[in-house]
């Protein structure tokens, strides 16, 4: 099966077969991480990059009283540098990852310029998502925070083929969503109930269904920060 990172990178730049083969060659240092355990611990700093091959992960930091702030959710195909000791990466469900040495990645970007373009554009999309999260936490109400989070995850999952029969396998818990949106789990539950009653979105066990994506996106004024589909060269 084709690695999801290739599906993602092809949205940001044209990749030749040789480009894709060389990307796949970097994925040989693989590890399996158990659910709800850290793939990268707090305090660890490295020049390497982690690539998510399967499963979902969360990048997070802790405040002094032990509370967690999730700063991003990582889906299959996403990658993250390991150069920030204030951020850990935890497996949400069972996770398959590859660790890529900085020198190997730099050589790939040098020898395969289109791969370098795609990776750079993917990083810019992630930076835009972080800016959107800061705005959400600072200025938006609870419903908008939850609605935008669901729209963003749905959009990203759809782009890599994770939505099947109108449903997305959704391993996140309400406490996970609370730690991302700066709310309590009780408040998250209240907002999810409102979205269900309004016929927009609901969680069914470990599945997310968005009944009317366009209406939900309009209601919370969600604008996609991932410009991959329009950034091809």
């Amino acid at each position: 099966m084709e690695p999801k990172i290739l599906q993602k990178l092809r949205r940001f730049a044209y990749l030749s077969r040789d480009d894709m083969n060389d990307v796949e060659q970097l994925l040989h240092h693989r590890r399996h991480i158990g659910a709800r355990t850290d793939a990268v611990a707090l305090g660890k700093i490295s020049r390497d990059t982690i690539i998510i091959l399967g499963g979902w992960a969360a990048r997070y930091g802790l405040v002094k009283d032990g509370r967690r702030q999730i700063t991003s959710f990582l889906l299959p195909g996403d990658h993250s540098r390991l150069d920030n000791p204030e951020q850990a990466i935890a497996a949400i469900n069972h996770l398959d990852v590859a660790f890529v040495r900085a020198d190997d990645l730099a050589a790939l970007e040098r020898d395969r310029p289109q791969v370098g373009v795609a990776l750079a554009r993917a990083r810019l999309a992630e930076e835009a998502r972080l800016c959107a999260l800061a705005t959400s936490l600072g200025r938006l109400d609870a419903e908008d925070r939850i609605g935008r989070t669901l729209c963003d995850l749905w959009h990203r999952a759809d782009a890599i083929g994770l939505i099947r029969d109108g449903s997305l396998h959704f391993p996140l818990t309400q406490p996970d969503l609370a730690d991302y949106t700066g709310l309590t789990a009780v408040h998250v539950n209240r907002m999810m109930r409102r979205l269900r009653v309004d016929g927009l979105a609901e969680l069914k066990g470990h599945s997310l269904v968005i009944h009317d994506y366009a209406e939900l996106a309009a209601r919370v004024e969600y604008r996609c920060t991932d410009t991959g589909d329009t950034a091809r060269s």
Side-chain angles (χ1 to χ4, degrees), residues 24-31 49 51 53 97-101 104:
E24 289 197 67
Q25 290 299 312
L26 287 186
L27 307 180
H28 56 278
H29 293 302
R30 301 188 179 198
R31 285 181 55 194
T49 291
I51 297 175
L53 302 176
V97 302
F99 289 96
V100 179
R101 294 177 52 214
D104 293 338

mmCIF file of all heavy atoms in Angstrom, residues 24-31 49 51 53 97-101 104:
data_model
loop_
_atom_site.group_PDB
_atom_site.id
_atom_site.type_symbol
_atom_site.label_atom_id
_atom_site.label_comp_id
_atom_site.label_asym_id
_atom_site.label_seq_id
_atom_site.Cartn_x
_atom_site.Cartn_y
_atom_site.Cartn_z
ATOM 1 N N GLU A 24 10.163 6.898 -0.387
ATOM 2 C CA GLU A 24 9.902 5.613 0.267
ATOM 3 C C GLU A 24 11.159 5.002 0.855
ATOM 4 O O GLU A 24 11.108 4.322 1.888
ATOM 5 C CB GLU A 24 9.245 4.642 -0.714
ATOM 6 C CG GLU A 24 7.812 4.974 -1.063
ATOM 7 C CD GLU A 24 7.069 3.809 -1.678
ATOM 8 O OE1 GLU A 24 6.846 2.811 -0.960
ATOM 9 O OE2 GLU A 24 6.730 3.883 -2.871
ATOM 10 N N GLN A 25 12.311 5.244 0.224
ATOM 11 C CA GLN A 25 13.564 4.705 0.735
ATOM 12 C C GLN A 25 13.919 5.262 2.114
ATOM 13 O O GLN A 25 14.676 4.648 2.868
ATOM 14 C CB GLN A 25 14.706 4.991 -0.251
ATOM 15 C CG GLN A 25 14.634 4.196 -1.536
ATOM 16 C CD GLN A 25 14.697 2.694 -1.281
ATOM 17 O OE1 GLN A 25 15.555 2.210 -0.547
ATOM 18 N NE2 GLN A 25 13.762 1.956 -1.878
ATOM 19 N N LEU A 26 13.374 6.440 2.439
ATOM 20 C CA LEU A 26 13.669 7.042 3.742
ATOM 21 C C LEU A 26 12.855 6.440 4.880
ATOM 22 O O LEU A 26 13.101 6.754 6.048
ATOM 23 C CB LEU A 26 13.387 8.554 3.703
ATOM 24 C CG LEU A 26 14.352 9.443 2.925
ATOM 25 C CD1 LEU A 26 13.974 10.903 3.141
ATOM 26 C CD2 LEU A 26 15.791 9.215 3.371
ATOM 27 N N LEU A 27 11.894 5.595 4.559
ATOM 28 C CA LEU A 27 10.944 5.142 5.564
ATOM 29 C C LEU A 27 11.310 3.794 6.177
ATOM 30 O O LEU A 27 10.456 3.097 6.729
ATOM 31 C CB LEU A 27 9.540 5.057 4.942
ATOM 32 C CG LEU A 27 9.036 6.319 4.245
ATOM 33 C CD1 LEU A 27 7.642 6.078 3.674
ATOM 34 C CD2 LEU A 27 9.024 7.506 5.203
ATOM 35 N N HIS A 28 12.574 3.420 6.128
ATOM 36 C CA HIS A 28 12.946 2.078 6.578
ATOM 37 C C HIS A 28 13.189 1.982 8.079
ATOM 38 O O HIS A 28 13.150 0.893 8.637
ATOM 39 C CB HIS A 28 14.180 1.577 5.810
ATOM 40 C CG HIS A 28 15.364 2.474 5.884
ATOM 41 N ND1 HIS A 28 15.494 3.569 5.069
ATOM 42 C CD2 HIS A 28 16.463 2.454 6.674
ATOM 43 C CE1 HIS A 28 16.643 4.188 5.341
ATOM 44 N NE2 HIS A 28 17.235 3.545 6.318
ATOM 45 N N HIS A 29 13.436 3.105 8.775
ATOM 46 C CA HIS A 29 13.605 3.063 10.235
ATOM 47 C C HIS A 29 12.233 3.212 10.889
ATOM 48 O O HIS A 29 11.834 4.286 11.313
ATOM 49 C CB HIS A 29 14.547 4.168 10.696
ATOM 50 C CG HIS A 29 15.954 3.986 10.244
ATOM 51 N ND1 HIS A 29 16.711 2.868 10.554
ATOM 52 C CD2 HIS A 29 16.766 4.783 9.501
ATOM 53 C CE1 HIS A 29 17.910 2.981 10.018
ATOM 54 N NE2 HIS A 29 17.965 4.134 9.374
ATOM 55 N N ARG A 30 11.507 2.102 10.971
ATOM 56 C CA ARG A 30 10.113 2.141 11.411
ATOM 57 C C ARG A 30 9.979 1.623 12.840
ATOM 58 O O ARG A 30 10.733 0.766 13.286
ATOM 59 C CB ARG A 30 9.223 1.314 10.487
ATOM 60 C CG ARG A 30 9.263 1.793 9.043
ATOM 61 C CD ARG A 30 8.234 1.092 8.194
ATOM 62 N NE ARG A 30 8.252 1.580 6.812
ATOM 63 C CZ ARG A 30 7.285 1.420 5.951
ATOM 64 N NH1 ARG A 30 6.181 0.778 6.303
ATOM 65 N NH2 ARG A 30 7.379 1.888 4.721
ATOM 66 N N ARG A 31 8.967 2.175 13.522
ATOM 67 C CA ARG A 31 8.667 1.725 14.874
ATOM 68 C C ARG A 31 7.160 1.666 15.070
ATOM 69 O O ARG A 31 6.414 2.421 14.444
ATOM 70 C CB ARG A 31 9.262 2.681 15.922
ATOM 71 C CG ARG A 31 10.759 2.569 16.107
ATOM 72 C CD ARG A 31 11.214 3.549 17.175
ATOM 73 N NE ARG A 31 10.493 3.362 18.427
ATOM 74 C CZ ARG A 31 10.498 4.243 19.437
ATOM 75 N NH1 ARG A 31 11.170 5.373 19.307
ATOM 76 N NH2 ARG A 31 9.833 4.004 20.550
ATOM 77 N N THR A 49 13.322 13.863 11.937
ATOM 78 C CA THR A 49 11.908 14.102 11.631
ATOM 79 C C THR A 49 11.141 12.808 11.828
ATOM 80 O O THR A 49 11.615 11.732 11.448
ATOM 81 C CB THR A 49 11.751 14.601 10.181
ATOM 82 O OG1 THR A 49 12.296 15.917 10.070
ATOM 83 C CG2 THR A 49 10.287 14.634 9.760
ATOM 84 N N ILE A 51 7.733 10.740 10.800
ATOM 85 C CA ILE A 51 6.701 10.659 9.766
ATOM 86 C C ILE A 51 5.656 9.648 10.229
ATOM 87 O O ILE A 51 5.997 8.520 10.604
ATOM 88 C CB ILE A 51 7.285 10.244 8.412
ATOM 89 C CG1 ILE A 51 8.286 11.301 7.919
ATOM 90 C CG2 ILE A 51 6.179 10.047 7.376
ATOM 91 C CD1 ILE A 51 9.000 10.924 6.639
ATOM 92 N N LEU A 53 3.052 6.988 9.633
ATOM 93 C CA LEU A 53 2.699 6.033 8.585
ATOM 94 C C LEU A 53 1.288 5.485 8.781
ATOM 95 O O LEU A 53 0.580 5.209 7.807
ATOM 96 C CB LEU A 53 3.707 4.888 8.561
ATOM 97 C CG LEU A 53 5.175 5.288 8.337
ATOM 98 C CD1 LEU A 53 6.071 4.061 8.423
ATOM 99 C CD2 LEU A 53 5.347 5.991 7.007
ATOM 100 N N VAL A 97 5.318 4.617 12.766
ATOM 101 C CA VAL A 97 6.060 5.820 12.409
ATOM 102 C C VAL A 97 7.391 5.443 11.776
ATOM 103 O O VAL A 97 7.874 4.313 11.903
ATOM 104 C CB VAL A 97 6.326 6.716 13.649
ATOM 105 C CG1 VAL A 97 5.021 7.099 14.319
ATOM 106 C CG2 VAL A 97 7.264 6.026 14.644
ATOM 107 N N ALA A 98 7.981 6.413 11.094
ATOM 108 C CA ALA A 98 9.347 6.302 10.606
ATOM 109 C C ALA A 98 10.117 7.503 11.126
ATOM 110 O O ALA A 98 9.592 8.630 11.145
ATOM 111 C CB ALA A 98 9.393 6.254 9.080
ATOM 112 N N PHE A 99 11.338 7.276 11.564
ATOM 113 C CA PHE A 99 12.221 8.356 11.972
ATOM 114 C C PHE A 99 13.269 8.561 10.882
ATOM 115 O O PHE A 99 13.936 7.614 10.465
ATOM 116 C CB PHE A 99 12.898 8.036 13.305
ATOM 117 C CG PHE A 99 11.958 8.077 14.476
ATOM 118 C CD1 PHE A 99 11.362 6.916 14.951
ATOM 119 C CD2 PHE A 99 11.651 9.280 15.092
ATOM 120 C CE1 PHE A 99 10.490 6.949 16.026
ATOM 121 C CE2 PHE A 99 10.783 9.328 16.176
ATOM 122 C CZ PHE A 99 10.202 8.158 16.643
ATOM 123 N N VAL A 100 13.375 9.799 10.418
ATOM 124 C CA VAL A 100 14.272 10.119 9.307
ATOM 125 C C VAL A 100 15.367 11.049 9.813
ATOM 126 O O VAL A 100 15.074 12.100 10.400
ATOM 127 C CB VAL A 100 13.501 10.796 8.154
ATOM 128 C CG1 VAL A 100 14.453 11.154 7.015
ATOM 129 C CG2 VAL A 100 12.392 9.878 7.651
ATOM 130 N N ARG A 101 16.596 10.677 9.569
ATOM 131 C CA ARG A 101 17.732 11.501 10.001
ATOM 132 C C ARG A 101 17.761 12.810 9.227
ATOM 133 O O ARG A 101 17.454 12.857 8.030
ATOM 134 C CB ARG A 101 19.038 10.741 9.795
ATOM 135 C CG ARG A 101 19.205 9.510 10.669
ATOM 136 C CD ARG A 101 20.491 8.790 10.328
ATOM 137 N NE ARG A 101 21.623 9.695 10.363
ATOM 138 C CZ ARG A 101 22.683 9.598 9.558
ATOM 139 N NH1 ARG A 101 22.727 8.648 8.641
ATOM 140 N NH2 ARG A 101 23.689 10.453 9.671
ATOM 141 N N ASP A 104 19.775 12.784 6.019
ATOM 142 C CA ASP A 104 19.127 12.057 4.926
ATOM 143 C C ASP A 104 18.021 12.891 4.299
ATOM 144 O O ASP A 104 17.854 12.910 3.072
ATOM 145 C CB ASP A 104 18.565 10.733 5.429
ATOM 146 C CG ASP A 104 19.653 9.748 5.847
ATOM 147 O OD1 ASP A 104 20.803 9.912 5.373
ATOM 148 O OD2 ASP A 104 19.349 8.838 6.636
#
